[in-house]
Amino acid sequence: MFPLQFLSLFFFATKAVEVKEDKSKRKYDLSLYKRGDLLEVPRTLFTHFGIYLGDNKVAHLIPDIIPVFTKNQDIIKEMVTNSRLIMGVLAKVASVRVDTVEDFAYGAEILVNHMDKACSRPPYQGEEVARRAEKLLGSITYSLLWYNCEHYVMYCRYGTCISFQTYQFCKTVRKIVCSQKSAFLTALLGVSVMLYLGSFTPLTLLLTLLCPFILWMTS
């Protein structure tokens, strides 16, 4: 489940496209949010995060390729589309920007400070959280695994730059890769390739079996 949640960031706007203009018609009760709150938007396969700044404004980190090609703020401030986001992820280009609650949530349900239950560190005061969020506004180098929207909000609210989604993803990948079945299949594939290419020598056999051996020992 978590690998799908994490990798589906490439398809961030797919759901947004499906809801079309209906997303802007949903109204949110702004009285429920306080400056410095951590807003969490559960999607079908992943979660997006932001920091509420007050006055219907949310700071959030989102990949976007457009700033690479233009400095026109009118274009940049438009809602990030599917293609813009995907290209931003691939180019590792993103920005911490401010959008309205409606644009940030895109019609989805909003959870408030839900991460307080998961993080062992106590949150900062609301004003300090918002100040830290505002300080990081602007362009930033993006990493799907090592610096995404969750890393950003966790730093702002708790002072620790971590991502539970990243952790779960890496844990699951490690469980899959470092398994006895994976080691066996890797060895079988390596030997099959050697036989097909006719390069079956003691040296190539040793190198081919080295990787499966390491996987086997770590499984």
Side-chain angles (χ1 to χ4, degrees), residues 75-115:
I75 298 177
I76 294 175
K77 289 180 180 178
E78 293 179 357
M79 173 56 57
V80 178
T81 62
N82 194 24
S83 57
R84 285 173 60 174
L85 185 140
I86 293 175
M87 293 302 297
V89 170
L90 296 176
K92 295 188 175 182
V93 177
S95 65
V96 177
R97 54 183 282 161
V98 176
D99 284 308
T100 64
V101 171
E102 291 77 14
D103 286 343
F104 164 76
Y106 230 116
E109 176 189 3
I110 298 177
L111 301 180
V112 182
N113 299 329
H114 186 256
M115 296 299 290

Side-chain angles (χ1 to χ4, degrees), residues 53-74:
L53 303 179
D55 194 28
N56 195 24
K57 296 179 181 178
V58 181
H60 60 127
L61 189 158
I62 186 168
D64 185 11
I65 194 65
I66 286 297
V68 174
F69 301 106
T70 180
K71 300 300 181 182
N72 188 323
Q73 291 301 312
D74 291 333

Side-chain angles (χ1 to χ4, degrees), residues 29-39 50-58 101 112-113 125-127 129-130 157:
D29 185 358
L30 300 183
S31 65
L32 298 176
Y33 317 127
K34 298 178 181 178
R35 182 170 165 83
D37 280 348
L38 191 160
L39 304 187
I51 298 294
Y52 188 63
L53 303 179
D55 194 28
N56 195 24
K57 296 179 181 178
V58 181
V101 171
V112 182
N113 299 329
Q125 294 296 319
E127 186 58 38
V129 175
R157 187 165 176 83

Side-chain angles (χ1 to χ4, degrees), residues 15 17 22 34 76 106 109 118 125 131 162 196 208:
K15 184 176 180 180
V17 172
D22 291 340
K34 298 178 181 178
I76 294 175
Y106 230 116
E109 176 189 3
Q125 294 296 319
R131 185 192 67 79
I162 63 174
Y196 178 77
T208 300

Side-chain angles (χ1 to χ4, degrees), residues 7 20 53 59 66 72 80 86 119 136 139 144 174 186 192 197-199 215:
L7 291 177
K20 298 181 180 180
L53 303 179
I66 286 297
N72 188 323
V80 178
I86 293 175
C119 186
L136 295 176
S139 300
L144 187 63
R174 178 181 177 276
T186 302
S192 299
L197 297 177
S199 58
L215 292 176

